[in-house]
Amino acid sequence: MPDSDDFVFTAETARAKVRAAEDAWNTRQPARIALAYSPDSRWRNRGEFVTGRAEIEAFLTRKWLRELDYRLIKEFWAFEGNRIAVRFAYEWHDDSGNWFRSYGNENWEFDAAGLMRQRFASINDLPISESGRRFHWPLGPRPVDHPGLSELDL
């Protein structure tokens, strides 16, 4: 349960936070993205553990050197107090042109300022053909009229 001084979400603000996170990650700008996390934020991303904004920025920089033409869709799943659960999928290719769709779930916890202080991500990669891609928009945030995960049946 959140402390009395933690940020508390409504369904509307939780959904908005999820879309804002998706839009930010689709910019692939690590320094900008790191500002959404508390200075002492802790992550578990797959088998990697990251603490603080500098490590978050370094992690994201490495990520997008490997995961090229990255496009992400996040979907709000549930919330309670200062916590949000999200499911997501993203498509990317490696430097050999092999395409993947990565699926996962994230659990987020926020501090009193609305900054994410904990992020736990579980992710699985599925090789796909280039013709099997479902995320077709110019690099950057997903257009408002592009279907989400449920609409794409993912």
Side-chain angles (χ1 to χ4, degrees):
M1 223 42 205
D3 295 333
S4 61
D5 62 347
D6 284 335
F7 188 87
V8 176
F9 288 99
T10 66
E12 182 180 336
T13 60
R15 288 179 197 285
K17 187 67 101 171
V18 171
R19 183 58 194 238
E22 174 190 315
D23 288 349
W25 279 60
N26 275 322
T27 70
R28 295 176 329 281
Q29 296 175 0
R32 174 184 166 201
I33 295 163
L35 295 175
Y37 299 90
S38 66
D40 61 346
S41 186
R42 293 184 4 224
W43 286 19
R44 181 189 48 76
N45 193 90
R46 300 177 193 251
E48 191 166 350
F49 295 83
V50 177
T51 301
R53 288 181 176 159
E55 288 185 21
I56 290 168
E57 190 173 338
F59 170 87
L60 293 172
T61 299
R62 286 190 314 274
K63 172 184 181 64
W64 290 316
L65 289 174
R66 290 186 319 268
E67 296 178 358
L68 307 173
D69 291 323
Y70 175 96
R71 289 170 178 82
L72 165 73
I73 299 176
K74 290 185 181 284
E75 185 173 276
F76 167 81
W77 192 253
F79 81 100
E80 181 176 343
N82 68 331
R83 294 179 175 172
I84 299 175
V86 175
R87 72 185 198 100
F88 64 87
Y90 61 90
E91 294 180 349
W92 57 281
H93 67 85
D94 63 18
D95 60 1
S96 297
N98 300 303
W99 280 92
F100 300 87
R101 185 174 304 119
S102 299
Y103 295 94
N105 298 294
E106 294 176 319
N107 295 309
W108 301 344
E109 183 179 79
F110 294 84
D111 67 12
L115 298 173
M116 194 181 303
R117 69 175 164 214
Q118 291 191 86
R119 174 184 173 267
F120 304 103
S122 298
I123 306 167
N124 298 298
D125 301 320
L126 175 69
I128 60 173
S129 64
E130 187 169 0
S131 64
R133 293 178 51 223
R134 307 284 299 274
F135 302 173
H136 298 283
W137 66 82
L139 289 176
R142 175 173 53 109
V144 174
D145 62 347
H146 190 283
L149 295 178
S150 291
E151 292 83 9
L152 291 167
D153 200 26
L154 293 176

